Amino acid sequence: MRYYVKKIVSLIMVLFLIMLLTFIAFQVIPGDGAISRLGVDATDEEVEALREALGLNRSLPERFFSFLGGAVHGDFGKSYQYSKPVSELLTARLPATVGLAAISIILILVISVPLGLLCSRKEGGAADRAVTILTQTLMAVPAFFLGIIITLVFGLILKWFQIGGYIDPKVNFTGFLQYMIFPAAAVAVPKIAMTVKFLKTSVLRELKLDYVRTARSKGNTERVVLWRHVLKNALIPVITFMGMVIADVLAGSIVIEQVFNLPGVGRLLVVAIGNRDYPVVEAVVVYIAAVVLIVNFIVDLLYQKVDPRVRMR
Amino acid sequence: MKKHGKILLALLLILGISMLGGCGKNENSSDDQEKGGADNGVTATKNPSYGGSIVVGITQDLDSLDPHKAKAAGTEEVLFNIFEGIVKPDKDGNLVPAVASDVAISEDGMSYTFTLRDGVKFHNGTPVTAEDVVYSLKRYAGLLETVDPEVKVTSALSCISDITASEDESGKSKITLTLSEANTELLGYLTGAIIPKDYDKQADAPVGTGPFRFVSYTPLQSFVMEKNPDYYGDAAYLDKVTFKISADVDAAFLELLAGGIDVFPYLTSEQASQLTEKFNICVGTTNLVQALFLNHAEKPFDDIRVRQAMCHAINRQEILDMVADGKGSLIGSGMFAGFAKYFNADLVNTYNYDIEKAKELLTAAGYPDGFEMTITVPSNYQFHVDTAQVIVEQLKKVGVQAKIQLVEWGTWLSDTYRGRQFQTTIVGLDANLAPSDVLKRYRSTASSNFLTYNNAEFDEIFALAVAEADDAKKVAYYKQLQEILTNDAASVYIQDPASYVAVSKKLSGYTFYPVYVQDMSKIYYIETEQAK
C-alpha cells in the first residue's frame, strides 16, 4: 500500500514539474498566442482585446495557477487557435495515435518474441545469421525514412493502400486497420529489430546459468526449458525496453503521423507549437508525460509478476 | 541585348497577367468564355458536364468554420464556396453584387445603400432577410451590443456609424450604411459573410448562401461540401467537393502522384514539372507583394541612398530564374498587377540592375566598402528562404555582407513584424481587393507599418485617395502613391510570385482570382474525350 501511495505522489510531483517547465518554456520562446491567431492585419487594439479575452495579460503566476486549477479538474481550457475546448481537440485525435500505437505494439510482440527465441536457440545457424544481419540493418533505418519507402513501394507502386487515405475507425474499422498497418509497420520494424536483439542477448545470458542445466538434467525438452524457465527471466530487460517503446509510440510518433497524414496527437502538437497555442501544447505535453509515467508504473508491476524476487517497497 | 530581352519578357509577363483569368488559357486568344470558360490548353472540344465529385488538397487545417471567426487565409479560401457577402470578387478583380442585387455609394462617400437580392436562401432553407444582413454586418464590423472577442473585426469598417434596414415603395429591402468619415472603398471589405441571425451553431455546422453547402468537417482530415441546389446564381457543376487536409506539401505531392487528389494549389515549380503526365499545370499569380522589406528605423536603411543602392544591386530577374524557373511577375512598388487599373506598371523598371550605380550610391552614403546586414526570413516559407539565398550572393558584388536569420513564423509575427526588430526581411504580403488595403501599411501612423516608413506626402494623398469618389482621380492618386514608394525606395520590391496549380486532366474550369480563394463552382468534368 505504501508503495502505491509513494508512486502516486511522485507521479503528481513529476506532472506538476512538467507543467511548470512547459509553461516557463513558453514564456522564454518568442511569439504570442494572440498575435499568431490574428496574423498580419490586426491592429494593436485587436491584439490587446484578444490578449485580454484569452487572459494573456494576467501575471505569470496567476496564469499558471489558473491553468493548474483547471487541469486538476481535467479542464485544459480553450485552444487559442481553434476556440474549442482542448479536451475535445485531444479526444478527436486520440484514435489515430492510440490505434497506431496499439497496432505497432502488437506487431512488435507477435514478431519479435518468436524471432528472438528462434535466434537464440539456433545461435550461429543460417536463420540466426540472416536475422542478425537483417536486424542490424533495420535498426539503423529511421522510422520516417522507412515510412517514405513504404509509401513509395506499397502506396505508389503496388497501390496496396491509398496514400494519405486515413479512414476514421468509427466510419469503417476494417478500412482503418487496412490503412494503419502501413504506418504501424514503419514504427514497428526498427523496434522489432531492437527487441529481437535484446531478447536474444538476454536469453543467451540466461542459458549459461545453473538453473538451466538443472532444468535440462530433469529431462525437460529444450522447448520447455526455453519457454517455461528461460523466457520468464530473459523477459525482464525486454519488459523495460518494451515500456520505453510503448511510451514512445503512444506519445505520438510525430514524424510518422506527418508522413502518413494521420490526424494524431503528434501533428496536433507540431501545429500548436507553431501557433503558440499554449493550452493545447500544455495538454499534449501532460498527456505524453502521463503516458510515460503510467507505462513505467505498469512495467514495475509486471516485474513483480514475472520475477517474484523483485519486491516492491 | 540580353538585358533588353529580359525587360521585354518582364513587360510581356505583366501584360499577360491581367488576362490570366482561367487556367491554361491560350495566351494569344482573346476570347473570354463565360461559365468558367478556361480551356485546358489542349486542342479538343469539351463540354462542361454537371455532376461528379472531386478531392482538393490543402495543407493547413481550418481555424474556425464560423466565417467571422476564421482568420487564416487558408480557411477563407475554402469558406469562399460556402459564404457570400454583400458583394463578392470575380476573377477579374471586380466586386460584383452577391447577396445584394444592387449597390449605391453616395457621392460624398458618406453612405452606402444596398438592395437585398430577391429569393436568396440560406442553406437551411430560410430566406435571407434584411435583419440577417444588418446582423452580419454589425457582427464583423464590431457594432453588436455584445462583442464576441473571437470575431475578427474588420478594422477598416470602424468608420461605420450606423447600419439600418428599410423598405422602399416597391417592397424591396434596403440596407443603408452611414459613415462618420468619407470612404469610397468600403466595398472591398463588404465581402464578409452574410449569416443567419440567431443561429449559434455556425462554428460546427456553418450556414451561408454560397454555391456549395457544408456537409462535414473532420479536424486535420477533411472539409466536405455539396452543391447548393437553391443557389440564385450560376449553379456549381460538381455535386460534391472534399477539401483534404494534408500534413505538408510533400505529403500532398505523394497523394497527387497516387491519384488521391484531383486539384492541388500550392506546388513548387519543380514539383509541377513532375506532374505533367496526369495533370494540367495551371500557372497564375499568388497575389502577393514579395519584397526585401527594409526597416527605415535601422541604420543604414534610414539613408535613402543606401535603399536605392539595394534596389540597384539586386537582380530581380535572376531571382525569378533561380527560384521559380523564370515564372512570376516583377513589381517595382508596393502593389501587384492583379490590381489592374490601379497598378502602376511604369515603376517596374525604375531601378534596373546596375552594380556600378549601387556602388556609387553606397560610396556617397559613406559605405564605400559596403556593410554587414541581416535578412530575417520566416523558415516555413521555403520560397522566401530561397530568394534570400540568391540575394545574399548578389549583394556580395557590391561589398554588402548579408546573413540570413531564419525564424519560425510565430516569432516572425511577434518580433519581426509587430516588434519591428529586424534590419531587412523577406515575405509576401497579401491584400483584399481594395487598393487602399495593400498600401495602408505605409501610412506613418499605421500599426502595421513594420518598415517604419514615414512620408507626410504619402499620408496626405492616401487620405485623399480613400475618400475620392471619382474613379479616374482615384486611380491617379493610387499611381502617385506607388510612385512615392518607389522614389523613396521604401523596400526592394521583387515580384508577385507565380502560383502553380495541378488540375486533373479530367477536369477543367479552374479559375484564378486576384484574391486568395479556391472557387470550386466553376470546375467541371470534361464530357467529351480529348482529341489527340
Side-chain angles (χ1 to χ4, degrees):
Chain A
M1 195 57 213
R2 249 181 73 199
Y3 170 79
Y4 294 102
V5 173
K6 233 165 87 182
K7 268 279 164 193
I8 287 163
V9 169
S10 82
L11 196 137
I12 291 169
M13 296 261 288
V14 172
L15 279 182
F16 174 80
L17 272 177
I18 284 167
M19 282 195 238
L20 187 64
L21 283 177
T22 320
F23 183 82
I24 292 169
F26 248 60
Q27 307 311 315
V28 177
I29 58 168
D32 179 287
I35 292 175
S36 288
R37 175 86 169 98
L38 291 170
V40 288
D41 276 334
T43 61
D44 291 346
E45 296 80 54
E46 281 166 16
V47 172
E48 234 2 81
L50 188 65
R51 285 182 63 88
E52 191 65 49
L54 295 175
L56 285 167
N57 281 338
R58 290 175 297 167
S59 71
L60 286 185
E62 211 180 318
R63 278 162 54 198
F64 180 67
F65 284 106
S66 98
F67 164 77
L68 201 63
V72 170
H73 299 103
D75 172 18
F76 285 90
K78 255 173 137 187
S79 155
Y80 297 165
Q81 194 68 23
Y82 295 100
S83 309
K84 275 186 182 168
V86 173
S87 47
E88 199 182 299
L89 291 171
L90 201 58
T91 339
R93 281 151 185 83
L94 277 179
T97 300
V98 173
L100 176 66
I103 299 171
S104 337
I105 291 161
I106 292 170
L107 280 179
I108 295 171
L109 287 176
V110 167
I111 298 176
S112 60
V113 173
L115 215 56
L117 288 181
L118 177 85
C119 287
S120 42
R121 221 169 81 185
K122 305 259 166 73
E123 202 210 351
D128 175 38
R129 266 182 292 161
V131 171
T132 308
I133 292 170
L134 200 65
T135 52
Q136 293 286 15
T137 319
L138 290 175
M139 241 189 288
V141 180
F144 83 90
F145 183 70
L146 205 60
I148 293 171
I149 298 288
I150 289 177
T151 309
L152 282 177
V153 175
F154 296 100
L156 213 53
I157 299 170
L158 297 173
K159 299 208 186 298
W160 287 7
F161 73 101
Q162 175 68 49
I163 295 175
Y166 172 82
I167 298 163
D168 197 278
K170 276 182 259 129
V171 177
N172 178 350
F173 192 71
T174 334
F176 168 76
L177 283 183
Q178 274 168 5
Y179 184 77
M180 292 303 271
I181 196 85
F182 295 95
V187 174
V189 167
K191 308 265 193 236
I192 289 173
M194 291 180 210
T195 318
V196 168
K197 198 170 146 69
F198 243 98
L199 189 62
K200 186 185 145 190
T201 324
S202 177
V203 168
L204 288 177
R205 196 174 50 230
E206 291 293 324
L207 280 176
K208 293 193 185 79
L209 296 178
D210 290 346
Y211 76 89
V212 179
R213 198 183 47 209
T214 316
R216 281 189 184 138
S217 62
K218 282 192 338 201
N220 285 318
T221 61
E222 195 62 14
R223 176 182 295 271
V224 173
V225 172
L226 209 56
W227 280 94
R228 199 171 294 161
H229 299 273
V230 175
L231 185 61
K232 247 183 162 183
N233 292 308
L235 270 180
I236 291 177
V238 178
I239 287 172
T240 316
F241 179 68
M242 281 307 291
M244 276 151 56
V245 170
I246 291 168
D248 195 26
V249 277
L250 256 180
S253 301
I254 296 175
V255 186
I256 289 296
E257 286 181 10
Q258 204 85 1
V259 172
F260 286 90
N261 232 340
L262 301 178
V265 175
R267 246 175 93 194
L268 179 69
L269 179 64
V270 173
V271 173
I273 293 176
N275 290 330
R276 301 293 184 271
D277 199 343
Y278 165 72
V280 175
V281 176
E282 270 283 0
V284 175
V285 170
V286 167
Y287 157 79
I288 292 175
V291 165
V292 173
L293 292 171
I294 290 166
V295 169
N296 268 320
F297 182 59
I298 295 171
V299 166
D300 284 351
L301 292 182
L302 273 180
Y303 278 160
Q304 202 194 20
K305 270 267 169 270
V306 175
D307 184 354
R309 286 171 302 180
V310 180
R311 282 278 160 259
M312 290 180 180
R313 267 180 288 271
Chain B
M1 196 54 219
K2 207 179 167 195
K3 197 175 275 173
H4 278 132
K6 278 179 181 168
I7 291 168
L8 196 68
L9 183 74
L11 281 173
L12 280 176
L13 271 173
I14 287 154
L15 287 173
I17 259 10
S18 45
M19 295 193 233
L20 266 180
C23 159
K25 189 182 283 179
N26 190 339
E27 275 172 45
N28 297 323
S29 84
S30 54
D31 66 323
D32 215 35
Q33 300 169 38
E34 281 305 305
K35 296 232 169 198
D39 65 55
N40 270 314
V42 208
T43 49
T45 42
K46 310 168 199 79
N47 299 320
S49 68
Y50 283 88
S53 63
I54 62 167
V55 178
V56 183
I58 52 175
T59 51
Q60 67 290 307
D61 201 1
L62 309 186
D63 58 347
S64 176
L65 300 185
D66 183 328
H68 297 162
K69 292 183 180 177
K71 279 143 186 140
T75 307
E76 283 173 19
E77 69 173 348
V78 171
L79 295 184
F80 176 78
N81 296 288
I82 306 282
F83 295 100
E84 291 179 320
I86 300 272
V87 289
K88 66 192 276 186
D90 72 0
K91 68 180 168 56
D92 300 316
N94 303 310
L95 290 162
V96 294
V99 173
S101 61
D102 164 88
V103 176
I105 305 172
S106 72
E107 216 147 272
D108 58 359
M110 294 294 284
S111 78
Y112 287 58
T113 310
F114 314 108
T115 313
L116 188 63
R117 189 187 290 274
D118 280 335
V120 183
K121 276 187 188 164
F122 284 116
H123 296 154
N124 60 9
T126 56
V128 177
T129 64
E131 283 82 68
D132 295 320
V133 177
V134 172
Y135 165 80
S136 306
L137 281 171
K138 281 190 172 171
R139 190 164 182 246
Y140 74 81
L143 296 172
L144 285 180
E145 273 165 30
T146 45
V147 177
D148 184 341
E150 281 166 14
V151 167
K152 176 189 178 183
V153 173
T154 310
S155 52
L157 297 179
S158 59
C159 58
I160 298 177
S161 57
D162 196 21
I163 304 173
T164 50
S166 59
E167 259 184 37
D168 68 1
E169 320 76 68
S170 56
K172 281 194 181 296
S173 294
K174 300 261 186 198
I175 294 102
T176 308
L177 303 188
T178 316
L179 310 190
S180 55
E181 57 184 285
N183 189 329
T184 55
E185 275 178 37
L186 281 191
L187 274 192
Y189 301 94
L190 296 175
T191 52
I194 301 301
I195 56 172
K197 194 187 170 191
D198 304 323
Y199 176 73
D200 56 2
K201 295 207 170 54
Q202 208 58 255
D204 301 309
V207 168
T209 58
F212 285 94
R213 60 187 182 196
F214 172 80
V215 175
S216 69
Y217 163 67
T218 321
L220 282 179
Q221 286 184 66
S222 64
F223 178 93
V224 185
M225 59 191 193
E226 65 185 6
K227 180 177 176 170
N228 172 11
D230 300 328
Y231 188 57
Y232 63 85
D234 291 339
Y237 293 103
L238 297 165
D239 288 337
K240 192 178 144 199
V241 175
T242 305
F243 284 96
K244 186 165 184 311
I245 303 157
S246 293
D248 53 34
V249 176
D250 296 321
F253 181 69
L254 281 175
E255 288 177 55
L256 267 174
L257 285 176
I261 296 179
D262 303 305
V263 176
F264 185 68
Y266 321 97
L267 292 169
T268 65
S269 60
E270 197 193 318
Q271 288 172 329
S273 63
Q274 296 173 37
L275 288 168
T276 45
E277 200 181 310
K278 282 185 199 153
F279 293 87
N280 288 313
I281 304 299
C282 306
V283 184
T285 53
T286 45
N287 306 306
L288 295 172
V289 174
Q290 191 209 27
L292 174 71
F293 291 99
L294 310 173
N295 189 346
H296 295 219
E298 286 275 327
K299 273 193 179 315
F301 303 107
D302 52 344
D303 187 328
I304 184 167
R305 289 167 298 188
V306 173
R307 299 198 301 266
Q308 287 173 333
M310 299 291 285
C311 292
H312 282 298
I314 289 171
N315 183 346
R316 294 167 298 159
Q317 186 59 47
E318 190 180 71
I319 296 175
L320 260 65
D321 293 342
M322 302 274 281
V323 303
D325 227 8
K327 298 270 174 31
S329 66
L330 296 180
I331 53 172
S333 190
M335 202 184 263
F336 47 83
F339 278 99
K341 62 182 178 188
Y342 298 107
F343 176 65
N344 192 340
D346 300 341
L347 302 172
V348 172
N349 288 305
T350 304
Y351 298 103
N352 52 348
Y353 176 54
D354 189 339
I355 293 185
E356 289 314 312
K357 198 148 183 203
K359 281 183 181 162
E360 271 170 39
L361 284 161
L362 283 178
T363 312
Y367 299 98
D369 303 320
F371 50 85
E372 286 182 2
M373 60 176 257
T374 309
I375 308 175
T376 310
V377 192
S379 56
N380 54 328
Y381 291 104
Q382 191 56 43
F383 188 80
H384 299 317
V385 177
D386 294 344
T387 306
Q389 273 156 355
V390 179
I391 288 178
V392 167
E393 290 307 313
Q394 292 179 346
L395 288 177
K396 279 182 187 161
K397 292 183 191 146
V398 293
V400 173
Q401 302 299 323
K403 72 172 197 293
I404 298 172
Q405 186 195 11
L406 292 180
V407 293
E408 191 231 357
W409 181 242
T411 311
W412 188 88
L413 274 176
S414 71
D415 289 10
T416 310
Y417 185 77
R418 206 153 274 282
R420 301 186 189 179
Q421 293 161 17
F422 71 103
Q423 267 195 309
T424 68
T425 182
I426 301 178
V427 277
L429 295 173
D430 67 347
N432 76 11
L433 282 172
S436 54
D437 196 50
V438 74
L439 295 179
K440 64 175 194 267
R441 73 176 68 258
Y442 299 100
R443 286 172 302 158
S444 55
T445 51
S447 61
S448 56
N449 182 358
F450 69 116
L451 310 85
T452 333
Y453 177 75
N454 193 340
N455 184 327
E457 192 193 358
F458 185 95
D459 294 353
E460 208 176 292
I461 296 176
F462 186 88
L464 290 173
V466 172
E468 183 57 58
D470 182 74
D471 201 49
K473 279 189 195 157
K474 194 189 254 306
V475 168
Y477 279 138
Y478 278 112
K479 289 201 168 172
Q480 198 185 343
L481 286 173
Q482 292 167 63
E483 205 176 326
I484 295 173
L485 287 182
T486 308
N487 291 342
D488 277 345
S491 283
V492 185
Y493 295 101
I494 304 170
Q495 60 163 329
D496 178 3
S499 147
Y500 294 87
V501 183
V503 180
S504 160
K505 289 199 168 163
K506 285 180 270 178
L507 300 168
S508 189
Y510 184 85
T511 308
F512 285 102
Y513 275 70
V515 284
Y516 200 74
V517 297
Q518 301 293 337
D519 185 355
M520 290 299 130
S521 69
K522 297 197 165 64
I523 292 188
Y524 56 85
Y525 273 95
I526 300 164
E527 207 167 49
T528 51
E529 280 302 303
Q530 291 175 10
K532 291 271 160 72

